[in-house]
């Protein structure tokens, strides 16, 4: 025998209802057939034998009705009526089905139906708008990439690379006539050529005299090798040397010609050596890099004018 | 209870003995007999293990660790000795010494990429003469860049966009305000924009860049990392002026690198104003593209000083798409597949 008051008396206030959710200010009902979602005497589907709800499945709204005649048949208790997709027609359908039903249920059903249609419309609109796709990041991969980036930064030696590139561009003349330096270099080269030609003339005369001494030549060879390394440091000194021995002067003249060619090579060499040195430095300095990992400020050794070469 | 005392023999050898225990007792008995003769030798050499022995066979973790550390120590000692020897030889030979060996770096050991571009390759030269960027490099059109962000950018991203706009000449920043990219693109084309840059933001930091070349050109998607804004730079110079900067592209060697390089270079006008003395650098190292913006000054013909202004950031290419931005139906020319491509440490794509 179905007695609503007794049921409400039990589950509503005194004893346990598994659908009830208690909060500080209000009680909610988690029953899926509840029409308002609150735990009230008039909204409880368990303690009202005549009850109606609106529920929505995959965008389609249904009116569920429960009457006391079917209270003994739980499988058939809820009558399901499909509502039309048209809002007004659906409201008329609700009115029709719930005619002579209590005002409260009719009103609440229509309210719930309105709310449901509104959120369905919003869902459809949102799908059309741009949707934000969340891409999950793998922490391990991100950490690995961060470290790779740091190492790549160290290996890149950006300042050096940029300076090198700029100097190359200057040499190639992409800057045209803006800077005065190219002229200086040209003049210097000219001067050096003039000096060479002068000294070579003098050298030829002296060489003829010294050709008679067969022993002396072997000495030249040995001295050249030594002096190359020294001369590179003191290019200007060569030009200024006037009080030096004739032999030394001859050696210098012979090697100065080579020197000019070697200079360019030397520049490249020293640069590559410096770069390889500095590249060699990074693995050797791995320990310091490891200690100072958080501090990625990089100090490069600035190349002095490539006149100095480590022997 | 019978307690038989097991004679504890030869315990001072301790850790050296451990390898004998898993072997048969009969063998150990023999060994024990031979042992006292071998003992002094063992203690002298400290490394007389049977050849099939490896440190990992010791079951006791502490002893295994101890043996391993010993092993490592000896190895490093050996290495030091070899080094010293070499150094002595080198000094003895003096000038006749062979040239120093070049240390192995990742760049030296890089797996050879078949798509590396030969500077004299005619096919590539022809391609580059006729692709979408040829118009810029021939000086026909000038770039016009639109910079925007994802929805609701935070302060850092906004400032980053503003600074980018000062670096790239002829750039305009517009707020996104929830517009769809696919709708923006035809509007941009109508207003003669040549580039669309979208800076994506995550957790108040810029983290992605979509660079879209406009009249249906390629779209590149990069990951941005380590962004430094202007006021975070140490020893920076004054703000960049309106002069068009020069562009330096370093290390874009492969075919993919070439296309990316052209894509980045076409952002800037082709006639740089040398009066401004500003240079924008894109340096590729191990697939990371570092962007820097400097002002340079030539002190003499062998020395140049550079001063960093402007923002700096690193890019990593994620994907290159043929048409304009279309994530669903786009035709991807290249996509970064982490599992495949990150497996080998010596293999790089750009």
């Amino acid at each position: 025998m179905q007695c609503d008051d007794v049921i409400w008396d039990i589950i509503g206030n005194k004893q346990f209802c598994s659908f009830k959710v208690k909060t500080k200010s209000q009680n909610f009902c988690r029953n899926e057939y509840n029409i308002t979602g609150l735990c009230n005497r008039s909204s409880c589907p368990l303690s009202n034998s005549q009850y109606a709800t609106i529920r929505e499945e995959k965008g389609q709204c249904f009116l569920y009705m429960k009457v006391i005649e079917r209270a003994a048949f739980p499988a058939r208790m809820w009558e399901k009526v499909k509502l039309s997709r048209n809002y007004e027609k659906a409201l008329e359908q609700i009115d029709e089905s719930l005619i002579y039903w209590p005002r409260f249920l009719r009103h609440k059903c229509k309210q719930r139906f309105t709310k449901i249609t509104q959120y369905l419309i919003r869902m459809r609109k949102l799908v059309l708008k741009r949707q934000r796709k969340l891409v999950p990041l793998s922490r391990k991969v991100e950490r690995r990439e961060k470290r790779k980036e740091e190492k790549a930064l160290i290996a890149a030696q950006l300042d050096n690379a940029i300076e090198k590139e700029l100097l190359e561009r200057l040499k190639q003349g992409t800057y045209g006539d803006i800077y005065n330096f190219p002229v200086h270099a040209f003049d210097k080269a000219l001067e050096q050529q003039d000096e060479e030609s002068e000294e070579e003339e003098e050298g030829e005369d002296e060489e003829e005299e010294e050709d008679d001494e067969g022993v002396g030549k072997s000495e030249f060879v040995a001295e050249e090798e030594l002096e190359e390394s020294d001369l590179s440091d003191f290019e200007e000194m060569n030009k200024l040397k006037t009080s030096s021995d004739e032999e030394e002067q001859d050696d210098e003249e012979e090697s100065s010609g080579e020197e000019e060619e070697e200079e360019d090579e030397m520049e490249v060499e020293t640069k590559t050596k410096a770069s390889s040195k500095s590249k060699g430095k990074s693995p050797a300095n791995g320990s310091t890099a490891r200690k100072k990992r958080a501090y990625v400020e990089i100090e490069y050794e600035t190349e002095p004018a490539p006149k100095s070469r480590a022997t | 209870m019978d307690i038989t005392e097991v004679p504890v023999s030869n315990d001072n050898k301790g850790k050296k003995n451990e390898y004998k225990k898993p072997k048969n007792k009969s063998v150990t008995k023999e060994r024990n007999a031979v042992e006292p003769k071998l003992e002094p030798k063992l203690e002298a050499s400290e490394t007389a293990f049977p050849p099939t022995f490896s440190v990992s066979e010791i079951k006791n973790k502490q002893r295994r660790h101890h043996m391993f550390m010993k092993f490592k120590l000896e190895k490093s000692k050996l290495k030091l000795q070899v080094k010293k020897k070499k150094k002595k030889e080198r000094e003895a030979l003096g000038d006749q010494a062979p040239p120093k060996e070049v240390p192995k770096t990742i760049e030296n050991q890089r797996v050879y990429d078949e798509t590396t571009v030969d500077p004299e390759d005619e096919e590539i030269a022809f391609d580059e003469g006729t692709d979408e960027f040829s118009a810029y490099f021939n000086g026909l059109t000038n770039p016009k860049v639109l910079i925007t962000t994802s929805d609701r950018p935070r302060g850092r991203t906004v400032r980053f966009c503003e600074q980018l706009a000062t670096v790239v000449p002829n750039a305009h920043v517009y707020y996104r305000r929830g517009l769809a990219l696919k709708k923006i693109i035809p509007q941009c084309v109508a207003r003669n924009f040549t580039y669309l840059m979208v800076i994506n933001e995550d957790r108040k930091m810029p983290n992605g860049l979509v660079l879209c070349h406009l009249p249906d050109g390629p779209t590149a998607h990069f990951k941005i990392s380590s962004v430094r804004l202007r006021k975070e730079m140490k020893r920076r110079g004054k703000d960049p002026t309106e002069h068009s900067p020069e562009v330096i592209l370093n290390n874009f060697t492969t075919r993919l690198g070439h296309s990316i390089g052209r894509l980045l270079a076409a952002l800037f006008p082709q006639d740089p104003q040398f009066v401004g003395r500003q240079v924008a650098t894109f340096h590729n190292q191990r697939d990371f593209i570092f962007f820097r913006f400097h002002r340079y000054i030539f002190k003499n013909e062998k020395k140049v000083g550079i001063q960093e202004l402007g923002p700096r950031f690193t890019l990593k290419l994620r994907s290159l798409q043929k048409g304009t931005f279309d994530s669903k139906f786009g035709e991807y020319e290249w996509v970064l597949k982490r599992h495949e491509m990150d497996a080998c440490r010596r293999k790089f794509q750009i």
Side-chain angles (χ1 to χ4, degrees), chain B residues 198-259:
Chain B
V198 184
I199 312 241
N200 187 53
E201 191 197 346
D202 178 46
R203 295 223 191 116
K204 307 181 192 177
M205 304 248 285
N207 76 341
L209 171 70
V210 174
L211 190 57
C212 185
H213 182 248
L214 273 181
D216 52 60
T219 309
H221 174 45
F222 296 95
K223 173 177 100 143
I224 299 183
S225 42
S226 20
V227 173
R228 288 248 199 113
L229 299 177
R230 236 171 244 152
K231 64 176 184 177
E232 294 158 16
M233 302 277 208
K234 295 189 182 177
R235 289 181 232 122
R236 70 176 162 100
K238 296 187 184 164
D239 287 340
T241 56
E242 289 296 319
H243 299 109
S244 333
E246 295 173 48
V247 179
I248 293 182
L249 296 167
N250 275 343
N251 283 348
F252 287 92
T253 48
T254 62
R255 191 76 193 80
L256 177 69
H258 254 248
S259 18

Side-chain angles (χ1 to χ4, degrees), chain B residues 15-164:
Chain B
K15 285 133 194 184
K16 282 184 206 163
N17 263 349
E18 292 323 302
Y19 73 91
K20 291 183 181 170
K21 282 186 184 167
K23 305 210 172 145
N24 289 334
K25 286 187 184 173
S26 54
V27 181
T28 50
K29 275 187 189 170
E30 284 175 44
R31 292 260 169 122
N32 280 331
V34 183
E35 235 192 291
K37 292 180 195 170
L38 289 178
E39 226 186 272
K41 284 189 189 171
L42 275 176
E43 284 178 0
S45 68
E46 282 196 41
T47 50
F49 293 127
T52 54
F53 171 73
S54 85
V55 185
S56 54
E57 277 173 24
I58 304 179
K59 298 296 181 181
N60 186 327
K61 183 169 177 175
Q62 215 173 23
R63 288 197 182 123
R64 187 172 62 230
H65 182 68
H66 183 91
M67 291 303 280
F68 181 64
M69 295 318 261
K70 260 209 231 165
F71 181 67
K72 263 177 98 176
L73 245 168
E74 282 163 19
K75 220 170 142 191
S76 62
K77 261 195 209 165
L78 261 172
K79 211 172 158 189
L80 253 171
Q81 282 173 5
V82 168
K83 246 186 168 177
K84 272 191 182 167
K85 229 169 125 188
K86 269 196 179 168
K87 200 174 173 189
K88 273 189 190 165
E89 280 175 16
R90 199 182 187 80
E91 280 170 17
L93 287 178
D95 278 334
Q96 288 173 359
K100 263 194 180 170
E101 292 157 30
V102 181
K104 292 186 192 169
T105 61
I106 293 186
E107 282 76 28
N108 291 347
Q109 309 296 98
R110 177 177 174 172
V111 166
Y112 175 70
D113 199 339
E114 307 104 22
T115 60
T116 313
V117 172
D118 198 18
E120 290 115 40
D121 203 341
E122 286 175 359
E123 210 185 292
I124 309 273
F126 177 69
D127 262 344
E128 294 186 351
T130 52
D131 76 354
E132 302 106 347
F133 300 109
S134 51
Y136 305 112
F137 293 116
N138 295 337
L140 294 174
T141 41
N142 264 334
K144 192 172 170 195
V145 183
L146 175 72
I147 304 183
T148 182
T149 64
S150 53
D151 285 337
R152 304 198 159 263
R154 312 291 290 188
R156 202 180 158 83
T157 317
V158 171
R159 269 177 279 147
F160 180 58
C161 289
E162 284 168 25
Q163 290 181 6
L164 261 184

Side-chain angles (χ1 to χ4, degrees), chain A residues 265-275 303 306 308-309:
Chain A
E265 294 175 29
M266 262 162 51
E267 281 181 30
V268 178
E269 269 178 49
T270 47
K271 279 186 182 165
T272 51
K273 271 192 183 173
S275 58
E303 243 184 85
S308 56
R309 184 174 74 165

Side-chain angles (χ1 to χ4, degrees), chain A residues 22-76:
Chain A
K22 271 178 146 180
T23 45
K24 275 191 205 159
S25 47
Q26 231 193 26
N27 293 342
F28 293 101
C29 182
R30 277 196 306 131
N31 194 327
E32 13 176 68
Y33 290 97
N34 190 315
I35 193 157
T36 54
L38 310 170
C39 189
N40 285 328
R41 173 70 182 84
S42 40
S43 312
C44 186
L46 304 174
S47 48
N48 285 305
S49 33
Q50 195 187 38
Y51 201 75
T53 331
I54 305 281
R55 277 175 76 186
E56 173 262 327
E57 266 170 54
K58 293 184 202 162
Q60 184 64 260
C61 296
F62 296 95
L63 170 67
Y64 285 75
M65 287 180 287
K66 165 175 129 167
V67 291
I68 192 158
E69 284 84 32
R70 294 198 300 271
F73 312 108
R76 282 180 265 154

